[in-house]
């Protein structure tokens, strides 16, 4: 028989991993709810036409497509099959795909429920998404996104709230991070000096690599792309970005003559507002080279990276969150003028980072007591005792057979239980149990009529 | 532009629905954890060979299959394509499928992690599953199962624990249910009188319909199936099952001469043990016609149906949970002699039942306060106030623009907020806010330095 295995890029989450994942999720959820956000969920299966064309050509390639059920070939022209062209065949045999992110489903949800929703709509959504990408460190084919979005409001106060929520979540998780901020307007301001939309896009692709290839690397790439005339602008941008704090950066931008235009004004104005709303800008950094998902976002853009010294040097995992303002969220489904802003937390990368840095609190098994019956006939008494302890809110279990005490206590010790309640012959006859503190070894007889919380148990009484 | 839609058999869960679903899930989880069960999760995507052949021919047809990515036709013999046979093509273009239940993934998980697991392994798992079934009332293509299993122990105490957990969960949900119990051994006891395994299977299929077609209907079906000689046994069984309580049933079984054999002894013995462990057998009912998943289970079987008067008569949704003992859980993946027992809660049917019966508690919006700024320039003050309230643990939000007060309060009222904190010109100048109780209309000025929990706010002070 073949050994069972998991598909590449997917994972099982065992007991300890789940405790840690739940710790992250509940930390986020607490912050989301304190800020007045509510949960929604959407199905994993979406119609393919809902997904396709929303993530660019590359995204379309990465969609997991679900084969139609039944005799899916029965209505297909055999001639078409004979052509052996998967691009032609796929739309004939696939109507559905797996959710690729949580933003397109949100847009669909808002359009389909627009009459029921109170705007501004503040929702959070924590669910898995699927991408047929090549698996590598920090990149899975099935992974979780945790998104918060404010839909139907265009004040920068929403951007500020999302940035604060980033800071609050990571503070609660005890992970030091930097929230990088930029504004599409500041990038758009370079459009006139670059001469064309195409040049501008090339410029953005090049400077987006700055953190990997450095100033000279970007300059060389700009030369290669035939953008020699942009190199001085790049050098200016790099030097400013390296040496200035936020307010110096604003000053520099405002006085760099080639980019004085409406786009710059808008971007700077909105970023200034953003900083005015933030209580404490520690952890928030203007990054003029941040050029995230440009075809999509229209205002502020965000990205979160770790800046925690406990994360090992060689642990490179990329961003652990990101997002931005999209002025036309629902336009893809025909509903105009609904502005949204949202950010995503990458649960799996956050998990991997906390794990690599050794930051997780320790999750002890929280089961307090194991009830041990020494004979099968004492098991009903054991279950009655178990029930009584549960009524007191004490997590406990009955060892499911009258195995030798040594074996039962081994199980209790391995799972780090605090107490054993032992029912042997004498105890059974006397309608009682021995309560043993598994840490200290102390033990005392008690009547079954007299069950108290073991933490209040007086072994010397 | 096409109107967006959802795939048939899938659903969005909006804010209110999510509150109710989370109420059910957290109720279950609390009970699961009190009993010492821990969470695991497995991926939605499984290798097709893990799933196929585990659910019978019908189940294989209902598996959602995920098309291989990339140029999935490139290595396929064009001759094979020309045959237009989907059964031959599918295994060539599909390596993965969507999880169909949580039991096969559990078996795979146990086999792959057997060296790390402490047995008995008590796990719970609450995740969606997918079946390409025809959608109808109470049947979805994407729905949630919540499973609890005890793996690696064969004492009936585990069965008793699972039955108690059913009772505790539904008691907490305030839904009256009946847990039907039967034992494979009692059904096997009829094998000798029926003459062959085939006759026995036919007998089981017929009696399984008793709750739909009644005593005479089953008798007629047995005649049709050429099992006239079994009709007296059926009539005996029906009469006993209708009129007897549990202990009378045991007596009747023990004295019905044709079925006195080892299988009956085993079944009765285990059922008697089960009842001896149950604290209060109210809500648990022996049902000799319960013949659930016979090819799979080897001992006790369970099914939960509602018996609550508040559920409308015409609301027929079938069982809301079920399970049983399988002596060879991991045998399908080559690991022998691992016994398991488990039950499943059907989250979606439980939801639909509670909704139809009007049993859900009311979930008010729990956001306490809306912070209202009357001018854009007061928004930074509003966010500072919001931050201070959050530090006090008060869920609140800033209305994200300086809209008219009427519009802001309308939003607060529709979402059922309790308080508004209003910052107008005077308040801004005096570094304070008006705290308004939205239920009573009372309002009072307070300094921004003096933020207390609004429930402790003295409006008459």
């Amino acid at each position: 028989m073949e050994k069972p295995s998991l598909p590449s890029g997917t994972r099982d989450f065992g007991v300890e991993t789940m405790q840690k994942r739940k710790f992250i999720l509940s930390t986020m959820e607490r912050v989301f709810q304190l800020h007045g956000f509510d949960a929604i969920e959407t199905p994993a299966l979406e119609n393919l036409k809902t997904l396709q064309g929303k993530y660019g050509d590359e995204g379309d390639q990465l969609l997991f497509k679900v084969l139609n059920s039944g005799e899916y070939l029965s209505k297909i022209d055999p001639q078409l099959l004979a052509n052996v062209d998967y691009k032609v065949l796929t739309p004939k045999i696939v109507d559905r795909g797996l959710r690729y992110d949580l933003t397109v489903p949100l847009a669909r949800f808002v359009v389909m429920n627009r009459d029921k929703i109170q705007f501004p709509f503040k929702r959070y959504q924590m669910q898995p998404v699927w991408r047929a990408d090549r698996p590598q460190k920090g990149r899975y084919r099935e992974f979780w996104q945790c998104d918060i979005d404010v839909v139907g409001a265009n004040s920068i106060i929403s951007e500020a709230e999302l940035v604060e929520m980033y800071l609050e979540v990571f503070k609660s998780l005890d992970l030091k991070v930097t929230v990088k901020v930029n504004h599409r307007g500041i990038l758009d301001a370079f459009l006139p000096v670059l001469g064309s939309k195409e040049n501008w896009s090339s410029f953005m692709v090049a400077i987006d690599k700055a953190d990997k290839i450095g100033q000279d690397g970007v300059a060389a790439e700009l030369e290669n792309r035939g953008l020699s005339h942009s190199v001085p602008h790049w050098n200016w941008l790099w030097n400013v970005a390296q040496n200035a704090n936020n307010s110096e950066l604003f000053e520099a931008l405002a006085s760099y003559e080639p980019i004085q235009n409406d786009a710059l004004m808008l971007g700077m104005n909105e970023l200034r507002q953003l900083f005015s709303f933030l209580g404490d800008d520690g952890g928030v950094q203007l990054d003029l080279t941040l050029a995230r998902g440009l075809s999509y976002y229209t205002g502020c853009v965000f990205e979160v990276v770790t800046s925690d010294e406990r994360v090992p040097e060689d642990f490179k995992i990329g961003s652990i969150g990101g997002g931005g303002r999209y002025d036309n969220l629902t336009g893809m489904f025909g509903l105009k003028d609904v502005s949204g802003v949202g950010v995503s937390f990458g649960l799996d990368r956050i998990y991997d980072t906390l794990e690599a840095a050794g930051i997780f609190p320790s999750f002890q098994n929280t089961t307090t007591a194991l009830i041990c019956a020494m004979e099968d006939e004492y098991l009903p008494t054991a279950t009655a005792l178990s029930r009584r302890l549960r009524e007191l809110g004490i997590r406990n279990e009955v060892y499911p057979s009258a195995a030798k005490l040594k074996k039962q206590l081994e199980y209790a010790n391995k799972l780090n239980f605090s107490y054993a309640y032992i029912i042997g012959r004498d105890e059974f006859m006397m309608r009682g149990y021995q309560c043993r503190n598994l840490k200290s070894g102390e033990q005392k007889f008690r009547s079954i009529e007299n069950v108290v919380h073991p933490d209040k148990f007086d072994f010397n009484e």
Side-chain angles (χ1 to χ4, degrees), chain A residues 218-330:
Chain A
V218 172
E221 180 153 344
L222 290 171
E223 297 277 0
N224 286 341
R225 287 169 178 264
L227 296 174
S228 310
H229 68 294
S230 74
V231 174
H233 300 301
W234 162 246
N235 284 331
W236 174 83
L237 194 61
W238 171 269
N239 285 322
V240 171
Q242 294 306 302
N243 301 313
N245 62 31
N246 285 354
S247 56
E248 288 167 348
L249 257 174
F250 283 125
E251 271 177 55
L253 284 169
S255 56
Y256 189 55
E257 202 273 328
I259 56 168
Q260 299 307 309
N261 52 42
D262 288 351
L264 181 74
M265 291 307 120
L266 174 75
M268 282 182 47
N269 185 26
E270 295 202 345
L271 285 172
R272 279 210 188 91
Q273 273 188 63
L274 173 63
F275 282 104
S276 79
F277 292 138
L278 293 174
D280 166 13
D281 61 358
V284 185
Q285 197 180 78
L286 204 49
D287 179 353
L288 300 181
T289 65
L290 180 65
R292 204 186 150 79
L294 282 172
S295 61
Y296 192 68
Y297 295 114
T298 53
C300 288
V301 289
F302 309 104
E303 196 165 280
V304 183
V305 294
T306 55
S307 54
D308 199 298
E309 287 172 5
R310 291 166 296 178
V311 177
E313 284 275 332
D314 60 345
F315 183 80
K316 302 276 180 207
I317 205 170
S319 65
I320 55 177
R325 162 76 62 177
Y326 31 85
D327 271 339
N328 193 15
L329 170 65
T330 56

Side-chain angles (χ1 to χ4, degrees), chain A residues 125-363:
Chain A
Q125 192 171 350
M126 311 199 288
Q127 292 190 275
V129 300
W130 292 266
R131 296 183 186 177
D133 221 334
R134 187 193 302 267
Q136 61 178 49
K137 184 169 165 184
R139 192 201 282 160
Y140 306 99
R141 287 183 163 168
E142 177 172 335
F143 61 100
W144 279 54
Q145 290 189 336
C146 306
D147 277 21
I148 42 179
D149 288 78
V150 183
V151 180
N154 52 19
S155 160
I156 301 301
I157 201 148
S158 299
E159 273 84 342
E161 178 152 48
L162 298 179
V163 170
E164 288 210 20
M165 290 166 79
Y166 263 146
L167 296 174
E168 288 172 25
V169 164
F170 287 109
K171 190 177 173 190
S172 299
L173 292 174
D174 190 28
L175 181 70
K176 214 177 151 201
V177 299
T178 301
V179 181
K180 296 183 185 179
V181 181
N182 200 6
H183 194 288
R184 172 68 187 254
I186 289 176
L187 301 172
D188 283 346
F190 286 87
L191 192 51
V193 302
L194 286 158
S196 74
K197 185 81 189 167
E198 289 66 38
N199 286 350
W200 179 83
S201 296
S202 293
F203 186 72
M204 288 306 144
V205 170
I207 70 171
D208 204 26
K209 297 180 186 168
D211 56 347
K212 293 198 186 74
I213 60 179
Q215 178 180 15
D216 295 342
V218 172
E221 180 153 344
L222 290 171
E223 297 277 0
N224 286 341
R225 287 169 178 264
L227 296 174
S228 310
H229 68 294
S230 74
V231 174
H233 300 301
W234 162 246
N235 284 331
W236 174 83
L237 194 61
W238 171 269
N239 285 322
V240 171
Q242 294 306 302
N243 301 313
N245 62 31
N246 285 354
S247 56
E248 288 167 348
L249 257 174
F250 283 125
E251 271 177 55
L253 284 169
S255 56
Y256 189 55
E257 202 273 328
I259 56 168
Q260 299 307 309
N261 52 42
D262 288 351
L264 181 74
M265 291 307 120
L266 174 75
M268 282 182 47
N269 185 26
E270 295 202 345
L271 285 172
R272 279 210 188 91
Q273 273 188 63
L274 173 63
F275 282 104
S276 79
F277 292 138
L278 293 174
D280 166 13
D281 61 358
V284 185
Q285 197 180 78
L286 204 49
D287 179 353
L288 300 181
T289 65
L290 180 65
R292 204 186 150 79
L294 282 172
S295 61
Y296 192 68
Y297 295 114
T298 53
C300 288
V301 289
F302 309 104
E303 196 165 280
V304 183
V305 294
T306 55
S307 54
D308 199 298
E309 287 172 5
R310 291 166 296 178
V311 177
E313 284 275 332
D314 60 345
F315 183 80
K316 302 276 180 207
I317 205 170
S319 65
I320 55 177
R325 162 76 62 177
Y326 31 85
D327 271 339
N328 193 15
L329 170 65
T330 56
M332 59 178 107
F333 298 116
L335 180 64
K336 294 217 171 103
D337 298 326
V338 176
S339 185
V341 57
V343 298
S344 187
F345 293 77
L347 173 63
D348 304 84
R349 288 189 177 181
I350 294 169
Y351 179 98
D352 290 348
T353 305
L354 292 176
E355 190 74 1
I359 293 179
F360 277 116
S362 86
F363 295 95

Side-chain angles (χ1 to χ4, degrees), chain A residues 78-124:
Chain A
Q79 189 54 47
L80 186 152
L81 273 176
N83 291 340
V84 198
D85 183 340
Y86 78 100
K87 286 188 180 168
V88 177
L89 182 61
T90 304
K92 308 276 185 194
I93 63 174
V94 170
D95 292 332
R96 288 157 301 213
L98 292 177
R99 184 171 54 216
Y100 179 90
D101 74 356
L102 303 178
T103 303
V104 168
L106 170 64
R108 180 193 53 65
F109 179 90
V110 168
V111 171
M112 289 176 69
N113 296 279
R114 58 194 192 251
D115 299 332
K116 287 177 248 160
I117 293 174
Q118 288 300 321
F119 294 98
F121 180 47
K122 301 170 80 176
R123 86 86 175 77
Y124 68 89

